[in-house]
Amino acid sequence: MTDETKVGKPAAQLWTREGFGGPLSVVTRPTYGPDYLSVEGKHAPRRSVLNRMTPRDNDDVDALPSVVASSKLGVRVLVSGRRKPMPFVVRNAEADEIHFVQTGTVRFDTDVGSLTAEEGDFVCIPRAVAYRFGPVGESMRSVIIESPSAISLTPPAPFGMINFARDVKYAEINADIPAGGPTRLILKTADDEQTVYLMPHDPLAVSGRMAGNAPVWKLNLTKIQVLTYLPDGGPPSPFLSSTNGELLMFNLSARITNRPPVHINADFDEMVCYVRGPGAWGGCTEAGTLTWVPKGVVHHGPSENVPEGYLAWLIETRATLRWTPEAIATSELMETGQYGPHPSLRK
Ligand SMILES: [Fe+2]
């Protein structure tokens, strides 16, 4: 497969199960599979740029992050853009959360310890850990992935892909959080029905650790090695997965590889966050571009072989995502060749 796939020139098109890990069928076609003229309905590829979205918590200090997409399986994607720390505490009763910090420095206090996350950090807050976060400076922007089943770091090459001892940082006890006075504690559930407890104290006040490890950790995207199988590259490998396999997460940054084939992913929705350059990833040039190809949609995808380098991550989920009206309003239809705006928008 080369980058020169054009209409009129027979090109391979794959149908694959389990990402590229299961049964597959390859045919050649005289046409370019990703082309479509128009689409009506919800199951259509979209793209958005994070700094064009205004999350609810950007202007309303009492708001929770805005939901970008939700699903029947409970996997959700949210975006946060706080300018002040949360004046309340949240405990997600139904999902593990991964917060990816796109911009800013973010302080997380949790009921098992605290950490400060920088740009490019993934922060894991498992189900039922209470937390509060906010920017250390003026502002921040993060993408939050919620997974109902437990997520963990599961690199296929544990001694090379992630240096656990060096790069995975765990929350540390911060005994300076005062016991405080009455604090609102929001029990967060995927139905968005908030249950608010009024606590007589700050539930994040902690005195010390007696046993066990802090389940809250951070890891920077730049510390996760990309895997490639020379000379052709092959599919990327997930560094993180959920217990029941409904969610996989990959470093999709630049690597030496051939361009992916035109393919159809039978089992997973694919959402990529192009974090930043210097190089462009196909039609994605703006830092913080979120792209979504729903399962069953023919796509090609830009080449990852970008000598100038770029940073990106990918989630694959068995959940069928549905964008919220709020997110649809700040996004656009996407073509699935290079992941730029769909040609029908150029009018
Ligand atoms: Fe794909």
Side-chain angles (χ1 to χ4, degrees), residues 28-104:
T28 56
R29 292 192 193 292
T31 55
Y32 186 55
D35 282 342
Y36 66 94
L37 297 174
S38 66
V39 57
E40 288 174 26
K42 296 173 180 173
H43 204 70
R46 303 202 70 81
R47 69 197 301 283
S48 185
V49 179
L50 289 172
N51 66 14
R52 285 189 212 147
M53 297 174 149
T54 305
R56 292 176 188 198
D57 59 4
N58 189 76
D59 298 318
D60 179 359
V61 76
D62 288 318
L64 290 174
S66 290
V67 180
V68 174
S70 59
S71 64
K72 286 180 187 164
L73 288 184
V75 172
R76 299 201 302 173
V77 179
L78 304 92
V79 60
S80 174
R82 299 197 73 86
R83 291 186 291 181
K84 296 212 161 31
M86 293 154 57
F88 52 85
V89 170
V90 165
R91 175 176 279 142
N92 194 325
E94 291 195 308
D96 283 23
E97 296 185 358
I98 291 283
H99 294 236
F100 176 77
V101 179
Q102 173 68 28
T103 57

Side-chain angles (χ1 to χ4, degrees), residues 108-125:
F108 288 84
D109 290 315
T110 80
D111 59 3
V112 297
S114 299
L115 61 76
T116 300
E118 311 288 344
E119 287 181 5
D121 277 340
F122 295 100
V123 176
C124 176
I125 304 177

Side-chain angles (χ1 to χ4, degrees), residues 161-247:
M161 196 179 205
I162 295 172
N163 186 327
F164 281 84
R166 187 187 65 191
D167 297 326
V168 180
K169 313 279 189 196
Y170 293 91
E172 294 179 356
I173 296 297
N174 173 16
D176 294 336
I177 298 172
T183 306
R184 276 178 297 150
L185 170 66
I186 299 175
L187 266 285
K188 186 181 178 188
T189 46
D191 59 8
D192 257 342
E193 303 244 346
Q194 297 175 22
T195 304
V196 186
Y197 290 75
L198 185 63
M199 311 298 282
H201 52 257
D202 186 340
L204 305 188
V206 57
S207 310
R209 174 171 304 285
M210 290 185 71
N213 298 314
V216 173
W217 51 258
K218 67 171 182 174
L219 172 64
N220 198 276
L221 175 61
T222 60
K223 301 295 186 189
I224 302 163
Q225 304 305 311
V226 289
L227 290 191
T228 199
Y229 304 89
L230 296 176
D232 296 323
S237 299
F239 66 91
L240 178 148
S241 59
S242 68
T243 307
N244 67 4
E246 76 201 358
L247 187 78

